[in-house]
Amino acid sequence: MSTNSIHLKKEILVRIVKAFFSENFKKQTRLIPYDMRPKGAEVPFRCCIYKERAILKDRVIAGLGFAIEDDDETVSLSEYAEKSLERKEPEKNPLTVLGAACKACVPKRIHVTDLCQGCVARPCVSTCKFGAIEIVNGHSVIDSTKCKACKMCINACPYNAIVKVAVPCEDNCPVSAIEKNEDGTAKIDFDKCITCGRCVSKCPFGAVHEKSQLIEVLKLLKAEKELTLMFAPAVVGQFPGTIGQLKSAMKKVGFTHVYEVAQGADVTIKNEAKELEERLDEGQPFMTTSCCAGYNQFTKKHLPEIEQYKSDTKTPMFYTAEIAKREHPNSINIFVSPCVAKKQEAFENENVDYVLNTAELGALFIGLHIEITNCEEETTEVEPSKQGRNFPVTGGVAEAVKFCAGCETRPVAINGLNKDSIRQLKKYAQTGNCEEGNLVEVMCCEGGCIGGNATISDERTAKKLIKTLLDNSGDIEKNPTKEKQ
């Protein structure tokens, strides 16, 4: 996601937090677009200040938790603010498209530019296996009805005259869940969508948005309810300070109890290690991990044939929520991570009530004037392992299972779902074999969870912060090695 898009979304979330705790939530919410673009202000992105304000209004609507597709434009932000207070539960389908912000990109295609020299060799024509290129008036022309977008002509042209016209949201969706409306703007097919959030992070106009559950959490904080915040291991890489200071800052926000989801990751590691041993003993050639929510949705909707090879072990969020509910049965459980897919997983888990992303947690810190590095160290009785805390980095899950398993483990990492990695997984499912190894770790996001759509730190910074924590963490207790009969 572009830096400007991140800053815009972050600023709006902070303003929503401040508006909520102001004397007049509805009025202050209505004024957000005007405060951000006052009369006479510079117009940095759009044609005029009125278009800027209209798009900012849409971003606020999404920040309040509503779908832009349902907006009839006559409803004011004051009314949306009031509706958000009255809402009993978050809306399903956690993504929405801001039509006004969408550029309505031209259809993606392979295109011959004016750089074409009409050369005698004509390698583009001879290279194309589908007969999609012909010479017209001395220049190459591509027949879009025949073109298969194989890009062989792009590689063959000595003048780099042939290019791929990209549509970032469509190109980066691994399951082709984004198409165009009649007016050319983006539309999400939720029957295909796996809520990986790739479209959110890749759209350079910030037109694809999460529908926030921030208002639900703000209402609970204001009512001083008993709240449990469970934060994913990837969250550590998003904020400065120590993990003890981060926990202390979370309690200053108003969360009663704070759990590292790495605690649940330790349960996942042991269960998955044991399961791998059992499956290999039974003769199964390989097993895939099951902790990535986006991958779990992908297998259900698009590759059910690999389900038999996927681990039955639950996610770290599942086990942490189970622990938290057992220890604090009357508390309301809130999960936070950089992953939009976790919202969909939470809808299916009775122990998880709401989900925030890291940008929304950061907005709470800023809006409530909490400096993490100024907070005291918070200590906890349970200290998760180095392996559990390393889950958000590609390879971390498989390495943890390998460390704990009592059998030979040969990990294979699928570093992000895309067209190529999906073909690889389909091959594993169809052949029933993975020649590269016997434990396939699948991460929907490149780099792991630290590459999620709602990250607020770059991958390098996140890795550094996580490594600092790992250096001060102990190893998980290994599963006992089974005796061979």
Side-chain angles (χ1 to χ4, degrees), residues 458-477:
D458 62 85
E459 189 175 324
R460 183 178 178 182
T461 301
K463 281 185 175 180
K464 185 177 179 180
L465 290 168
I466 289 171
K467 184 181 184 304
T468 299
L469 178 60
L470 299 184
D471 289 342
N472 294 290
S473 304
D475 289 324
I476 191 172
E477 182 183 349

Side-chain angles (χ1 to χ4, degrees), residues 206-273:
V208 190
H209 247 273
E210 282 189 57
K211 290 187 287 187
S212 179
Q213 297 178 13
L214 181 60
I215 293 297
E216 276 72 16
V217 175
L218 288 172
K219 287 189 287 188
L220 295 169
L221 287 169
K222 195 169 188 177
E224 297 184 347
K225 296 289 187 180
E226 183 182 3
L227 304 177
T228 296
L229 187 70
M230 308 173 293
F231 65 98
V235 174
V236 175
Q238 304 304 306
F239 297 101
T242 66
I243 192 165
Q245 289 175 317
L246 180 59
K247 292 176 182 178
S248 179
M250 291 170 175
K251 288 197 171 181
K252 278 194 172 185
V253 169
F255 298 108
T256 320
H257 317 289
V258 174
Y259 284 78
E260 278 188 70
V261 176
Q263 182 177 346
D266 284 347
V267 181
T268 295
I269 294 167
K270 291 195 171 186
N271 289 349
E272 206 152 70

Side-chain angles (χ1 to χ4, degrees), residues 244-318:
Q245 289 175 317
L246 180 59
K247 292 176 182 178
S248 179
M250 291 170 175
K251 288 197 171 181
K252 278 194 172 185
V253 169
F255 298 108
T256 320
H257 317 289
V258 174
Y259 284 78
E260 278 188 70
V261 176
Q263 182 177 346
D266 284 347
V267 181
T268 295
I269 294 167
K270 291 195 171 186
N271 289 349
E272 206 152 70
K274 182 179 179 182
E275 187 180 1
L276 177 65
E277 293 175 18
E278 292 172 349
R279 291 198 181 205
L280 294 180
D281 281 351
E282 292 168 1
Q284 183 169 305
F286 70 94
M287 183 183 81
T288 80
T289 58
S290 59
C291 65
C292 174
Y295 172 60
N296 291 337
Q297 287 191 57
F298 166 74
T299 61
K300 289 178 186 176
K301 292 185 176 183
H302 299 281
L303 195 60
E305 54 265 41
I306 207 170
E307 286 274 349
Q308 62 180 311
Y309 301 108
K310 191 176 74 175
S311 170
D312 294 326
T313 298
K314 302 299 182 183
T315 68
M317 182 182 84
F318 178 94

Side-chain angles (χ1 to χ4, degrees), residues 148-406:
K148 304 297 182 184
C150 67
K151 297 188 284 189
M152 293 291 287
C153 57
I154 294 177
N155 298 327
C157 179
Y159 292 100
N160 296 321
I162 306 177
V163 298
K164 178 183 178 182
V165 178
V167 179
C169 61
E170 293 181 26
D171 286 350
N172 286 283
C173 178
V175 293
S176 302
I178 297 187
E179 53 193 24
K180 292 184 181 297
N181 279 314
E182 296 77 10
D183 61 358
T185 57
K187 175 185 177 183
I188 299 174
D189 183 343
F190 288 106
D191 289 333
K192 295 180 181 178
C193 179
I194 60 173
T195 60
C196 64
R198 193 77 59 82
C199 53
V200 178
S201 60
K202 295 300 182 180
C203 176
F205 293 92
V208 190
H209 247 273
E210 282 189 57
K211 290 187 287 187
S212 179
Q213 297 178 13
L214 181 60
I215 293 297
E216 276 72 16
V217 175
L218 288 172
K219 287 189 287 188
L220 295 169
L221 287 169
K222 195 169 188 177
E224 297 184 347
K225 296 289 187 180
E226 183 182 3
L227 304 177
T228 296
L229 187 70
M230 308 173 293
F231 65 98
V235 174
V236 175
Q238 304 304 306
F239 297 101
T242 66
I243 192 165
Q245 289 175 317
L246 180 59
K247 292 176 182 178
S248 179
M250 291 170 175
K251 288 197 171 181
K252 278 194 172 185
V253 169
F255 298 108
T256 320
H257 317 289
V258 174
Y259 284 78
E260 278 188 70
V261 176
Q263 182 177 346
D266 284 347
V267 181
T268 295
I269 294 167
K270 291 195 171 186
N271 289 349
E272 206 152 70
K274 182 179 179 182
E275 187 180 1
L276 177 65
E277 293 175 18
E278 292 172 349
R279 291 198 181 205
L280 294 180
D281 281 351
E282 292 168 1
Q284 183 169 305
F286 70 94
M287 183 183 81
T288 80
T289 58
S290 59
C291 65
C292 174
Y295 172 60
N296 291 337
Q297 287 191 57
F298 166 74
T299 61
K300 289 178 186 176
K301 292 185 176 183
H302 299 281
L303 195 60
E305 54 265 41
I306 207 170
E307 286 274 349
Q308 62 180 311
Y309 301 108
K310 191 176 74 175
S311 170
D312 294 326
T313 298
K314 302 299 182 183
T315 68
M317 182 182 84
F318 178 94
Y319 292 121
T320 307
E322 199 173 53
I323 294 167
K325 185 60 70 174
R326 182 171 63 247
E327 295 181 353
H328 308 286
N330 298 319
S331 185
I332 297 168
N333 283 349
I334 299 160
F335 177 80
V336 59
S337 84
C339 173
V340 65
K342 284 297 184 182
K343 287 184 177 177
Q344 200 61 43
E345 181 184 338
F347 282 131
E348 302 167 5
N349 188 332
E350 62 181 6
N351 289 330
V352 182
D353 299 289
Y354 302 104
V355 176
L356 294 178
N357 64 37
T358 45
E360 291 158 351
L361 178 62
L364 282 171
F365 290 145
I366 296 171
L368 297 174
H369 308 289
I370 297 171
E371 287 284 348
I372 299 173
T373 53
N374 291 338
C375 292
E376 296 180 357
E377 289 281 340
E378 175 80 16
T379 57
T380 53
E381 294 181 5
V382 178
E383 193 75 12
S385 73
K386 175 191 301 183
Q387 287 74 24
R389 286 171 164 171
N390 197 37
F391 258 47
V393 179
T394 292
V397 177
E399 286 300 320
V401 174
K402 179 180 180 179
F403 181 86
C404 203

Side-chain angles (χ1 to χ4, degrees), residues 409-420:
T409 306
R410 294 178 290 118
V412 177
I414 301 292
N415 185 25
L417 283 183
N418 52 48
K419 298 294 192 293
D420 291 336

